[in-house]
Amino acid sequence: MPIVNVQMYSGKNQREKDILAVAIIEDVSKILSVSEEEVMILFTEAPHGK
């Protein structure tokens, strides 16, 4: 099972994260020849410090 960890600054809405997750899942599935259901995406958000 491929696990992709996406680390990003907070501030993106759920729709944007969903679109990103779908794109990552499609590509990982194709490249690694696994079903889309096997791909796990983990989002870690951090505050954007100045």
Side-chain angles (χ1 to χ4, degrees):
M1 169 193 311
I3 301 171
V4 179
N5 188 6
V6 177
Q7 297 181 347
M8 58 193 295
Y9 290 120
S10 56
K12 298 298 179 186
N13 63 43
Q14 188 61 48
R15 182 175 182 279
E16 292 169 314
K17 291 184 276 189
D18 289 345
I19 292 168
L20 177 59
V22 167
I24 292 170
I25 289 169
E26 288 174 352
D27 285 345
V28 169
S29 172
K30 258 187 255 180
I31 292 166
L32 298 181
S33 299
V34 297
S35 70
E36 292 185 358
E37 291 78 22
E38 293 181 76
V39 182
M40 181 182 292
I41 308 294
L42 302 174
F43 283 95
T44 304
E45 296 185 62
H48 195 354
K50 291 183 181 182

